[in-house]
Amino acid sequence: MLAAVFEGVGIISVHPVPRPPIGPDEVLVRVGAAAICGTDVRIYTGQKTRGVRTPSILGHEMAGEIVQAGPEVADWQIGDRIVIAPVIACGTCYCCQRGLSNLCINRVALGYEYDGGFAQYVRIPARAIAAGNLFRMPDHLSYAEASLAEPLSCCINGQENLGICPGDSVLIVGTGPIGMMHLRLAKAIGDTRVLVSEPDRGRRQLAEETGADLVFDPGAVDLQEFLREHTDNIGVDKIILTAGSPTAVNGLLGCLPKGGGIKLFAGFPVCSQSLIDPNLIHYNQLHISGASASTLRQFQMALSAIAEGDVGVETIITGTFPLIEFDKALERTMASTGLKTIIVPWGESTGGDG
Ligand SMILES: [Zn+2]
Ligand SMILES: [Zn+2]
């Protein structure tokens, strides 16, 4: 089979590799689509190393069809169209026992410890099947659409514990694919006012078309002044930072009203530090939190939201490429061209539209 093999920082080469054999309690999936994630870029550039092997096959946002099932696999059959939650939790550690399986201390994941979806076939390990990480795809969804369940589930996790309420104003900083998903989710809560800070003009236009209430270029305004002007001098109740910019954090704290909250949603460069004024947090009783991965419940919610058309994934997918054009697809992602770029190992190139 053909695969894009990660061979070390800065090296991914597309070449034939043996099709992975499966065990009696495993399935083999013909990959229909595997989306490129910012995390793949961070692995490629050496900023993320945990769980990463060389050589290995990356890609953790994927959907496909079961083409082979071991004799001990009970619930899945050849022909099943599935989407895969890549993070396999142990179910017994401190975090899993507290309902935080997304933070499982013993987690392993497809696209990291196990080979992922940037290949024509992917082996689903027995422990992923046993842990409930396979989901049946609604018939009307394409593989590309279903592959976005993983990033969307992470956004759902971030918003659930940020606690956005109807009536809140929400500032989304950065509207790449993740920011766009946050925008749709925050609007779907109902009676929310969603503001978007985005330097790229094309992305600002898309955010506007997608229902943002106020879109602005952060380079053209004094952020705190601008936000106060547009919120009756109050500030925004909740902020979601989707860009890994450590220097942005303190300025954003100053945009929150008393009792406000900020979610640091993106990974930051290794060893980054942010200078923050702790009195802003103390006297204003601010809430600062992070977010990582998602639970299987949130994954199911994401898949349902995509199936119901709640998130407009069709506007988020802006290019599909076959495996052989992996470098082109990766380049687009690294250059922030368009929104989400997807690998369709058996499909045709659309070349991307922006
Ligand atoms: Zn991802
Ligand atoms: Zn665990």
Side-chain angles (χ1 to χ4, degrees):
M1 69 170 184
L2 206 58
V5 181
F6 174 65
E7 286 166 351
V9 172
I11 313 166
I12 291 180
S13 77
V14 179
H15 56 77
V17 299
R19 190 163 131 166
I22 59 164
D25 43 6
E26 297 183 333
V27 299
L28 188 73
V29 171
R30 183 185 195 267
V31 179
I36 300 183
C37 172
T39 308
D40 298 315
V41 172
R42 283 153 50 75
I43 293 170
Y44 177 74
T45 55
Q47 295 175 68
K48 186 176 176 72
T49 54
R50 183 176 179 266
V52 178
R53 298 162 297 121
T54 50
S56 69
I57 300 168
L58 308 179
H60 57 270
E61 304 177 356
M62 59 191 138
E65 181 189 340
I66 294 177
V67 289
Q68 196 187 339
E72 287 167 26
V73 174
D75 298 329
W76 301 95
Q77 272 140 22
I78 291 171
D80 284 346
R81 297 169 81 239
I82 55 151
V83 53
I84 301 140
V87 176
I88 309 162
C90 75
T92 56
C93 74
Y94 176 86
C95 293
C96 286
Q97 285 182 345
R98 280 154 185 77
L100 297 169
S101 58
N102 57 312
L103 303 177
C104 172
I105 292 159
N106 306 311
R107 61 168 261 171
V108 285
L110 280 96
Y112 298 81
E113 289 85 358
Y114 295 102
D115 279 345
F118 296 146
Q120 289 181 315
Y121 297 95
V122 61
R123 172 179 76 97
I124 307 300
R127 60 192 291 188
I129 300 173
N133 284 53
L134 298 193
F135 293 81
R136 275 193 179 81
M137 273 174 57
D139 287 340
H140 67 281
L141 284 189
S142 70
Y143 292 123
E145 290 169 327
S147 72
L148 298 190
E150 196 277 337
L152 184 66
S153 72
C154 299
C155 296
I156 290 174
N157 174 53
Q159 292 209 7
E160 275 190 357
N161 62 51
L162 181 59
I164 299 170
C165 303
D168 275 352
S169 56
V170 183
L171 171 66
I172 294 166
V173 182
T175 44
I178 288 289
M180 287 297 287
M181 289 182 193
H182 276 302
L183 164 57
R184 295 293 285 248
L185 288 173
K187 286 301 288 183
I189 288 166
D191 197 23
T192 44
R193 182 155 178 259
V194 181
L195 297 82
V196 163
S197 166
E198 166 59 55
D200 181 83
R201 190 196 301 182
R203 287 183 168 182
R204 280 203 300 276
Q205 193 184 335
L206 194 57
E208 227 156 38
E209 290 165 9
T210 305
D213 297 289
L214 180 66
V215 180
F216 61 94
D217 175 359
V221 300
D222 177 300
L223 190 61
Q224 295 188 13
E225 211 174 280
F226 179 84
L227 289 175
R228 280 205 198 94
E229 238 171 67
H230 288 88
T231 56
D232 292 334
N233 223 16
I234 293 169
V236 281
D237 298 303
K238 307 278 159 60
I239 298 177
I240 301 171
L241 175 59
T242 76
S245 167
T247 52
V249 179
N250 197 55
L252 291 171
L253 293 181
C255 299
L256 292 167
K258 288 179 187 286
I262 180 169
K263 176 69 58 186
L264 308 185
F265 192 83
F268 294 89
V270 185
C271 299
S272 334
Q273 302 217 325
S274 292
L275 206 58
I276 55 175
D277 174 359
N279 272 329
L280 278 176
I281 303 166
H282 171 74
Y283 287 109
N284 293 341
Q285 199 175 302
L286 302 182
H287 303 267
I288 304 180
S289 57
S292 181
S294 60
T295 63
L296 295 182
R297 175 184 63 80
Q298 290 160 339
F299 198 93
Q300 179 61 67
M301 283 173 71
L303 190 57
S304 303
I306 291 172
E308 281 154 30
D310 292 348
V311 279
V313 281
E314 67 286 347
T315 58
I316 292 170
I317 299 168
T318 52
T320 59
F321 292 83
L323 264 174
I324 201 75
E325 292 179 18
F326 188 88
D327 54 341
K328 209 185 279 181
L330 186 67
E331 244 168 58
R332 278 172 60 87
T333 306
M334 291 177 75
S336 302
T337 307
L339 288 171
K340 200 75 171 169
T341 299
I342 297 195
I343 300 297
V344 283
W346 302 86
E348 298 277 305
S349 173
T350 63
D353 58 4

